[in-house]
Amino acid sequence: MRIESVDLHHIRMRLKAPFETSFGVEHDRDAVIVRLRAEGIEGWGECVAGAFPGYSYETVGTAWHVLEEFFVPAILGQDVKDVDDFRGRLAAFRGHPLARAGLELALWDLLGLARGASLATLLGGERRAVPVGVSVGIQTDVRTLLEVVERYLADGYRRVKLKIKPGRDLDEVRAVHAAHPKLALQVDANSAYALEQKTIFQAMDPLGLLLIEQPLAEDDLLDHAALQAVLRTPICLDESILSQRHARQALDSHACRVINIKPARLGGLAEAVAVHDLCWARGAPVWCGGMLETGIGRASNLALASLPGFTLPGDISASDRYYAEDIASPPFTLNSDSTIDVPDSPGLGIAVDPRALARVTLRSAAFNA
Ligand code: NPQ
Ligand code: MG
């Protein structure tokens, strides 16, 4: 397909409530929306880099820069045959997985539309609906946390992830566990601890959490292995896993037993499927992480999570979890069994509303072949 144009939109969407993690509080979600045109059709992608380099070193600014200067020129006016071809054209560039994944997603959407196949079908997905959970930010106090968790349970979520940070961990997790002893519960530290603080996690061990996500530094498989050796609860790695090779080495070295798969962090859906396939072959459970996506990224996550190895509930909430108004339709809603249906129309299976997109756009750029 000859790529005729690429548009970038820097958007800012107000979050329904501030989202606090160990790296900071977000009131708005910034992202870059990508539109690719080829052969009279258009595909949409979403780069989930934010305003602030907290989860990743990438930001909207760095993503815009590498897209404009390097990634877009590498494909504009070119005949890009498939995703492998696309990856080859970007292979010389180092890093910037979030920017790369946003552009790759628009290509997947285009290819699906051109072939009349849903993204789930292109990826090898099997399930029509996928189990999901909700990620709960750090709250002002334990009482508020309990109220917030109760509200999500009333909404129908059957798996809850608590964000934790030093000083806002054990009391919170114990309180939620005591109030809901049978609830499928997990925690995410976003790299906020050091191995010297292992007693915190040893104290959580008897609670039977589903997993402990990314307790230690992103670049530290060795200390994660040391921590996993003293815990029964599985460690799940998120930020540490940037490729299929990292996944293999993390499992081989017992740094984790579970992997959170995010296409953005892995540089795209193709690498995400590769990590899934490796973990599936080794019997290691995976689940689909979340990046507070708009309907574009949410549709992509649902398609990915329909692959058979995604045996744990994903951080893929209903469309109304984070935003009052989305830029894509139809909205995704939670089924009574805490699942969300996988889109089955061609490509991403959603329609971007140009007026809704314009309302949240701060800056646009168009690149034409
Ligand atoms: C995680 N997500 O699993 C991430 C972290 C995260 C749903 O917990 C702006 C940009 C806000 C990136 C909030 C969830 C973000 C962000 C959270 C990433 O680690
Ligand atoms: Mg995480």
Side-chain angles (χ1 to χ4, degrees), residues 42-100:
E42 58 181 40
W44 293 92
E46 173 174 357
C47 165
V48 297
F52 168 86
Y55 170 81
S56 157
Y57 63 81
E58 290 185 76
T59 64
V60 163
T62 70
W64 196 282
H65 165 66
V66 296
L67 284 163
E68 177 172 20
E69 298 293 330
F70 305 107
F71 297 176
V72 171
I75 62 164
L76 198 61
Q78 304 295 312
D79 181 24
V80 179
K81 285 174 186 64
D82 51 26
V83 172
D84 276 351
D85 183 10
F86 170 88
R87 280 160 58 93
R89 291 173 193 274
L90 267 58
F93 308 123
R94 191 188 298 269
H96 301 280
L98 277 49
R100 204 178 282 262

Side-chain angles (χ1 to χ4, degrees), residues 161 163 188 190 213 238-239 260 262:
K161 163 166 130 179
K163 301 299 254 187
D188 186 359
N190 287 110
E213 183 176 345
D238 174 355
E239 287 92 320
N260 166 329
K262 288 178 182 167

Side-chain angles (χ1 to χ4, degrees), residues 15 19-21 23-24 26 28-30 48-52 54-56 98 134-136 161 163 188-190 213-214 238-239 260 262 287 289-293 315 321-322:
L15 291 164
F19 192 65
E20 180 168 354
T21 64
F23 54 79
E26 305 270 356
D28 298 287
R29 180 64 166 109
D30 285 48
V48 297
F52 168 86
Y55 170 81
S56 157
L98 277 49
V134 64
S135 175
V136 179
K161 163 166 130 179
K163 301 299 254 187
D188 186 359
N190 287 110
E213 183 176 345
Q214 198 68 43
D238 174 355
E239 287 92 320
N260 166 329
K262 288 178 182 167
W287 55 286
M291 291 293 286
L292 285 57
E293 290 88 350
D315 274 348
R321 154 73 179 88
Y322 292 112

